[in-house]
Amino acid sequence: MPTTTQLEHLLREAALRVTRPRVAVLAAVYEHPHADTDAIIGVVRTQLGEVSHQAVYDVLRALTAADLVRRIQPSGSVARYESRVGDNHHHVVCRTCGAIADVDCAVSATPCLTASDDHGFAIDEAEVTYWGVCPACSTTTAAITAR
């Protein structure tokens, strides 16, 4: 987790003004990878007190546009945010509880960016989502089934 000074530096490097809401939202995303907006709002409110939903949405939009955070939205899920940007990683999502984890690319630096037919597109990003059941839900399901 970066310090407040490091978060302020990231904002300045991205040509964003340093404000308390921006620092708080960026810290929340670092502290809670794959959190949705409501969870981020809850974390920010514990730090700053009352802050509007719109303010957090606006900060998340600015941080995403500046490539300081990444917005992901697995099928059937609300948008989620993570601080891991600038690399080619994917996600695994639990079909039962919705837990999300990062998955590094299996082979080489960017194998998913080499499409079998790019149809003339200049491809710069690929999204792969793995779906399954997390260990906690697998254990719960197994325990229920064994009864």
Side-chain angles (χ1 to χ4, degrees):
M1 172 63 202
T3 65
T4 300
T5 302
Q6 290 168 324
L7 294 173
E8 291 170 353
H9 180 72
L10 288 172
L11 290 167
R12 285 187 190 98
E13 280 187 331
L16 292 175
R17 260 190 16 224
V18 174
T19 64
R20 289 182 60 218
R22 285 182 177 166
V23 172
V25 169
L26 190 53
V29 173
Y30 269 93
E31 290 171 16
H32 304 280
H34 309 123
D36 63 20
T37 308
D38 286 340
I40 293 169
I41 289 169
V43 172
V44 170
R45 284 183 174 166
T46 62
Q47 288 183 322
L48 301 181
E50 189 59 33
V51 68
S52 72
H53 281 72
Q54 191 60 51
V56 174
Y57 281 110
D58 291 346
V59 169
L60 285 168
R61 193 174 305 109
L63 296 176
T64 302
D67 291 325
L68 292 177
V69 302
R70 179 178 174 195
R71 180 184 186 273
I72 62 169
Q73 190 167 3
S75 180
S77 175
V78 297
R80 304 194 176 239
Y81 296 87
E82 64 181 347
S83 59
R84 186 173 170 184
V85 296
D87 70 345
N88 190 41
H89 75 278
H90 310 297
H91 298 94
V92 59
V93 181
C94 179
R95 291 185 187 279
T96 304
C97 70
I100 300 174
D102 291 335
V103 177
D104 289 327
C105 232
V107 182
S108 79
T110 56
C112 299
L113 294 181
T114 307
S116 59
D117 182 357
D118 64 17
H119 299 277
F121 284 69
I123 297 172
D124 61 9
E125 183 178 3
E127 289 186 19
V128 175
T129 304
Y130 300 96
W131 294 88
V133 179
C134 72
C137 290
S138 292
T139 303
T140 303
T141 303
I144 291 171
T145 306
R147 290 183 187 169

